[in-house]
């Protein structure tokens, strides 16, 4: 799994989380400025000898792929090669990883990102079709989620059931799976559509069928979750809020390390670090 966050434009942090363990196996950060260097430059003085925190000069967009490649390389050097990457559909980092680390790395899309992309396309269609309300979009996404759960890891079954997500909303339930409560019960009404009635617009029906038929059933059959990443994101955000600036000193790296310890060890990491410090005094 991959998780990349950018608290601000001049700093980035990335982590690699193991699918089976749910623990962070690698992390790194990038900073575009160093406070001591900046102060010396503003005062037009020679900067004193120090450990400079600036380790990035490229664009903020290229930060993420660079950090991901570094973490994967480090994992490979420790005899823990990464086989599969679970993340969003941004292919830049994945292609760099395959070119610079291993050509055998596989890409798996995150379920939430795929659903969000489909939802965005539906909202774009909403501008052209009045019948496609917010409630209707939510109904479509619920049916899509039910269909994915029923056809999990079966590419052929997903391919043959994509149309049912749309046809179900228009009162055609022949292809619906077990998730459909109306199939075999014609008197039942829709639970999620406005007033429980079928959709009618033929133009909307064709547009929706075209949208869902364009989806890659192979990708949909191998979806996985990056929820552990979101959990870590929240932990790090609590220690390094986006509205605070910690990137020009060692503060960010310390806060990132603390977040990693909390993710891997729980809150008991505080006592463990304290005891370790006392042992070295």
């Amino acid at each position: 799994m991959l998780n990349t966050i950018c608290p601000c434009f001049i700093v980035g942090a990335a982590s690699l989380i193991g699918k089976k363990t749910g623990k962070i196996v690698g992390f790194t950060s990038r900073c575009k400025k160093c406070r001591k260097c900046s102060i010396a430059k503003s005062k037009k003085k020679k900067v004193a000898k120090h450990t400079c925190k600036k380790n990035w000069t490229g664009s903020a967009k290229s930060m993420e792929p660079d950090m991901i490649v570094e973490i994967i390389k480090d994992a490979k050097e420790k005899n823990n090669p990464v086989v599969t990457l679970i993340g969003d559909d941004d292919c830049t980092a994945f292609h760099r990883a395959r070119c610079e680390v291993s050509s055998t790395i596989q890409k798996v899309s995150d379920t939430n990102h795929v659903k969000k992309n489909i939802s965005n396309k539906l909202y774009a269609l909403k501008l052209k079709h009045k019948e496609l309300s917010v409630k209707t979009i939510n109904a479509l996404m619920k049916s899509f989620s039910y269909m994915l759960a029923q056809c999990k890891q079966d590419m052929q079954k997903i391919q043959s059931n994509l149309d049912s997500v749309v046809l179900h909303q228009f009162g055609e339930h022949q292809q619906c799976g077990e998730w459909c409560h109306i199939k075999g019960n014609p008197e039942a009404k829709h639970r999620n559509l406005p007033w429980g009635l079928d959709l009618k617009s033929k133009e909307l029906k064709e547009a929706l069928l075209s949208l869902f038929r364009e989806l890659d059933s192979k990708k949909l059959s191998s979806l996985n979750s990056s929820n552990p990443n979101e959990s870590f994101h929240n932990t790090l955000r609590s220690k390094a809020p986006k509205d605070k600036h910690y990137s020009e000193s060692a503060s960010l790296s310390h806060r990132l390390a603390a977040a990693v310890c909390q993710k891997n060890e729980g809150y008991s990491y505080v006592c463990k670090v304290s005891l370790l410090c006392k042992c070295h005094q």
Side-chain angles (χ1 to χ4, degrees):
M1 291 183 189
L2 285 178
N3 177 42
T4 305
I5 62 169
C6 292
C8 61
F9 287 108
I10 61 172
V11 61
S15 63
L16 186 71
I17 301 179
K19 177 66 176 69
K20 292 183 178 180
T21 64
K23 294 188 176 183
I24 296 173
V25 296
F27 64 96
T28 188
S29 62
R30 295 287 183 271
C31 297
K32 295 187 73 173
K33 287 186 178 182
C34 172
R35 183 169 298 164
K36 289 188 177 181
C37 292
S38 299
I39 292 174
K41 184 177 180 181
S42 65
K43 293 182 177 181
K44 297 181 180 180
K45 294 182 178 180
K46 185 178 180 181
V47 63
K49 187 177 180 180
H50 69 289
T51 303
C52 187
K53 298 303 174 184
K54 181 179 178 180
N55 59 3
W56 185 251
T57 56
S59 65
K61 188 176 181 180
S62 60
M63 233 182 232
E64 177 181 344
D66 189 73
M67 289 187 290
I68 292 171
V69 168
E70 179 189 319
I71 296 172
I72 296 175
K73 281 183 177 179
D74 185 58
K76 186 177 181 180
E77 290 172 359
K78 294 177 180 177
N79 295 321
N80 293 305
V82 174
V83 178
T84 304
L85 294 179
I86 303 171
D88 57 27
D89 290 330
D90 181 6
C91 295
T92 306
F94 173 65
H95 286 312
R96 278 198 57 182
R98 294 199 73 174
C99 292
E100 300 180 28
V101 185
S102 173
S103 59
T104 60
I105 295 177
Q106 300 297 315
K107 176 76 170 65
V108 173
S109 296
D110 170 54
T111 305
N112 292 331
H113 281 93
V114 169
K115 290 180 180 178
K116 185 177 179 181
N117 289 338
I118 296 172
S119 181
N120 289 340
K121 291 179 181 179
L122 290 173
Y123 275 100
L125 279 178
K126 180 177 178 291
L127 301 176
K128 301 178 182 179
H129 302 276
K130 293 182 179 180
E131 196 175 12
L132 189 60
S133 63
V134 173
K135 191 171 184 178
T136 303
I137 291 174
N138 291 336
L140 281 162
M141 293 308 301
K142 281 187 177 181
S143 297
F144 179 70
S145 298
Y146 295 150
M147 185 276 294
L148 280 184
Q150 180 179 299
C151 307
K152 192 174 183 181
Q153 297 183 344
D154 191 333
M155 183 180 72
Q156 297 299 331
K157 197 172 181 181
I158 289 175
Q159 182 66 45
S160 61
N161 280 273
L162 280 172
D163 283 1
S164 68
V165 175
V166 176
L167 297 177
H168 170 79
Q169 321 302 329
F170 290 84
E172 301 176 28
H173 307 286
Q174 295 83 0
Q175 297 182 34
C176 291
E178 297 175 1
W179 51 269
C180 177
H181 71 285
I182 301 179
K183 188 176 182 180
N185 185 17
E187 295 183 0
K189 291 187 176 182
H190 291 280
R191 295 172 180 170
N192 302 308
L193 290 178
W195 302 286
L197 301 177
D198 297 333
L199 300 180
K200 301 295 183 182
S201 173
K202 292 182 179 180
E203 292 79 9
L204 175 60
K205 181 179 178 181
E206 291 302 317
L208 291 174
L209 284 172
S210 177
L211 188 155
F212 279 91
R213 285 170 180 172
E214 290 177 355
L215 299 177
D216 187 348
S217 57
K218 183 177 180 180
K219 181 173 77 172
L220 294 177
S221 66
S222 60
L223 295 178
N224 218 308
S225 174
S226 63
N227 286 339
N229 306 98
E230 300 303 324
S231 172
F232 177 68
H233 190 158
N234 292 331
T235 301
L236 180 55
R237 187 165 50 195
S238 69
K239 299 182 185 300
K242 292 185 177 182
D243 60 342
K244 299 293 189 298
H245 183 51
Y246 300 107
S247 62
E248 293 188 21
S249 66
S251 180
L252 177 69
S253 58
H254 294 330
R255 291 169 184 273
L256 175 59
V260 171
C261 287
Q262 183 173 318
K263 175 70 175 176
N264 288 353
E265 302 294 332
Y267 288 102
S268 63
Y269 85 92
V270 178
C271 295
K272 293 177 181 179
V273 171
S274 179
L275 289 173
L276 188 63
C277 292
K278 289 180 180 179
C279 292
H280 286 280
Q281 286 180 354

